[in-house]
PDB file of all heavy atoms in Angstrom:
ATOM      1  N   TYR N 119     -51.896-242.716 115.098  1.00 97.00           N
ATOM      2  CA  TYR N 119     -51.258-243.817 115.727  1.00 97.00           C
ATOM      3  C   TYR N 119     -50.748-243.375 117.072  1.00 97.00           C
ATOM      4  O   TYR N 119     -50.861-244.145 118.082  1.00 97.00           O
ATOM      5  CB  TYR N 119     -50.192-244.453 114.914  1.00 97.00           C
ATOM      6  CG  TYR N 119     -50.667-245.206 113.716  1.00 97.00           C
ATOM      7  CD1 TYR N 119     -50.621-244.872 112.509  1.00 97.00           C
ATOM      8  CD2 TYR N 119     -51.422-246.495 114.083  1.00 97.00           C
ATOM      9  CE1 TYR N 119     -51.124-245.586 111.446  1.00 97.00           C
ATOM     10  CE2 TYR N 119     -51.994-247.246 113.064  1.00 97.00           C
ATOM     11  CZ  TYR N 119     -51.830-246.792 111.675  1.00 97.00           C
ATOM     12  OH  TYR N 119     -52.364-247.500 110.735  1.00 97.00           O
ATOM     13  N   LYS N 120     -50.198-242.192 117.240  1.00 95.00           N
ATOM     14  CA  LYS N 120     -49.695-241.662 118.629  1.00 95.00           C
ATOM     15  C   LYS N 120     -50.799-241.654 119.468  1.00 95.00           C
ATOM     16  O   LYS N 120     -50.621-241.985 120.657  1.00 95.00           O
ATOM     17  CB  LYS N 120     -49.068-240.278 118.301  1.00 95.00           C
ATOM     18  CG  LYS N 120     -48.572-239.630 119.666  1.00 95.00           C
ATOM     19  CD  LYS N 120     -48.162-238.325 119.324  1.00 95.00           C
ATOM     20  CE  LYS N 120     -47.731-237.537 120.619  1.00 95.00           C
ATOM     21  NZ  LYS N 120     -47.380-236.180 120.460  1.00 95.00           N
ATOM     22  N   GLU N 121     -52.009-241.280 119.080  1.00 95.00           N
ATOM     23  CA  GLU N 121     -53.160-241.137 120.119  1.00 95.00           C
ATOM     24  C   GLU N 121     -54.081-242.198 120.061  1.00 95.00           C
ATOM     25  O   GLU N 121     -55.164-242.199 120.692  1.00 95.00           O
ATOM     26  CB  GLU N 121     -53.883-239.781 119.729  1.00 95.00           C
ATOM     27  CG  GLU N 121     -53.078-238.600 119.878  1.00 95.00           C
ATOM     28  CD  GLU N 121     -53.631-237.323 119.452  1.00 95.00           C
ATOM     29  OE1 GLU N 121     -54.811-237.440 118.947  1.00 95.00           O
ATOM     30  OE2 GLU N 121     -53.141-236.140 119.639  1.00 95.00           O
ATOM     31  N   ASN N 122     -53.694-243.331 119.331  1.00 95.00           N
ATOM     32  CA  ASN N 122     -54.636-244.519 119.327  1.00 95.00           C
ATOM     33  C   ASN N 122     -54.407-245.345 120.655  1.00 95.00           C
ATOM     34  O   ASN N 122     -53.487-246.150 120.781  1.00 95.00           O
ATOM     35  CB  ASN N 122     -54.339-245.384 118.099  1.00 95.00           C
ATOM     36  CG  ASN N 122     -55.414-246.385 117.848  1.00 95.00           C
ATOM     37  OD1 ASN N 122     -56.038-246.950 118.754  1.00 95.00           O
ATOM     38  ND2 ASN N 122     -55.623-246.747 116.617  1.00 95.00           N
ATOM     39  N   LYS N 123     -55.526-245.286 121.586  1.00 93.00           N
ATOM     40  CA  LYS N 123     -55.429-245.901 122.804  1.00 93.00           C
ATOM     41  C   LYS N 123     -55.711-247.377 122.694  1.00 93.00           C
ATOM     42  O   LYS N 123     -55.362-248.135 123.753  1.00 93.00           O
ATOM     43  CB  LYS N 123     -56.364-245.356 123.728  1.00 93.00           C
ATOM     44  CG  LYS N 123     -56.266-243.835 124.056  1.00 93.00           C
ATOM     45  CD  LYS N 123     -54.766-243.519 124.461  1.00 93.00           C
ATOM     46  CE  LYS N 123     -54.726-242.021 124.765  1.00 93.00           C
ATOM     47  NZ  LYS N 123     -53.252-241.625 125.103  1.00 93.00           N
ATOM     48  N   ASP N 124     -56.023-247.927 121.599  1.00 94.00           N
ATOM     49  CA  ASP N 124     -56.225-249.400 121.376  1.00 94.00           C
ATOM     50  C   ASP N 124     -54.927-250.130 121.103  1.00 94.00           C
ATOM     51  O   ASP N 124     -54.848-251.285 121.101  1.00 94.00           O
ATOM     52  CB  ASP N 124     -57.199-249.672 120.160  1.00 94.00           C
ATOM     53  CG  ASP N 124     -58.589-249.057 120.438  1.00 94.00           C
ATOM     54  OD1 ASP N 124     -58.994-249.046 121.600  1.00 94.00           O
ATOM     55  OD2 ASP N 124     -59.256-248.736 119.348  1.00 94.00           O
ATOM     56  N   LEU N 125     -53.840-249.222 120.970  1.00 95.00           N
ATOM     57  CA  LEU N 125     -52.540-249.887 120.653  1.00 95.00           C
ATOM     58  C   LEU N 125     -51.730-249.772 121.918  1.00 95.00           C
ATOM     59  O   LEU N 125     -51.943-248.935 122.821  1.00 95.00           O
ATOM     60  CB  LEU N 125     -51.824-249.166 119.573  1.00 95.00           C
ATOM     61  CG  LEU N 125     -52.601-249.116 118.220  1.00 95.00           C
ATOM     62  CD1 LEU N 125     -51.781-248.225 117.261  1.00 95.00           C
ATOM     63  CD2 LEU N 125     -52.771-250.487 117.673  1.00 95.00           C
ATOM     64  N   SER N 126     -50.755-250.650 122.076  1.00 95.00           N
ATOM     65  CA  SER N 126     -49.824-250.684 123.130  1.00 95.00           C
ATOM     66  C   SER N 126     -48.987-249.479 122.967  1.00 95.00           C
ATOM     67  O   SER N 126     -48.733-248.940 121.847  1.00 95.00           O
ATOM     68  CB  SER N 126     -48.989-251.872 123.167  1.00 95.00           C
ATOM     69  OG  SER N 126     -48.119-251.927 122.117  1.00 95.00           O
ATOM     70  N   PRO N 127     -48.320-248.925 124.075  1.00 95.00           N
ATOM     71  CA  PRO N 127     -47.388-247.689 123.951  1.00 95.00           C
ATOM     72  C   PRO N 127     -46.261-248.016 122.903  1.00 95.00           C
ATOM     73  O   PRO N 127     -45.899-247.158 122.078  1.00 95.00           O
ATOM     74  CB  PRO N 127     -46.846-247.591 125.387  1.00 95.00           C
ATOM     75  CG  PRO N 127     -48.024-248.073 126.305  1.00 95.00           C
ATOM     76  CD  PRO N 127     -48.536-249.207 125.414  1.00 95.00           C
ATOM     77  N   PHE N 128     -45.877-249.275 122.967  1.00 96.00           N
ATOM     78  CA  PHE N 128     -44.656-249.675 121.983  1.00 96.00           C
ATOM     79  C   PHE N 128     -45.215-249.539 120.564  1.00 96.00           C
ATOM     80  O   PHE N 128     -44.549-248.998 119.692  1.00 96.00           O
ATOM     81  CB  PHE N 128     -44.219-251.038 122.227  1.00 96.00           C
ATOM     82  CG  PHE N 128     -43.163-251.471 121.228  1.00 96.00           C
ATOM     83  CD1 PHE N 128     -41.827-251.055 121.310  1.00 96.00           C
ATOM     84  CD2 PHE N 128     -43.504-252.377 120.098  1.00 96.00           C
ATOM     85  CE1 PHE N 128     -40.916-251.489 120.343  1.00 96.00           C
ATOM     86  CE2 PHE N 128     -42.659-252.727 119.319  1.00 96.00           C
ATOM     87  CZ  PHE N 128     -41.300-252.301 119.332  1.00 96.00           C
TER      88      PHE N 128
END
Side-chain angles (χ1 to χ4, degrees):
Y119 285 110
K120 178 187 175 185
E121 298 180 351
N122 191 330
K123 303 302 181 186
D124 294 333
L125 302 175
S126 68
F128 175 79

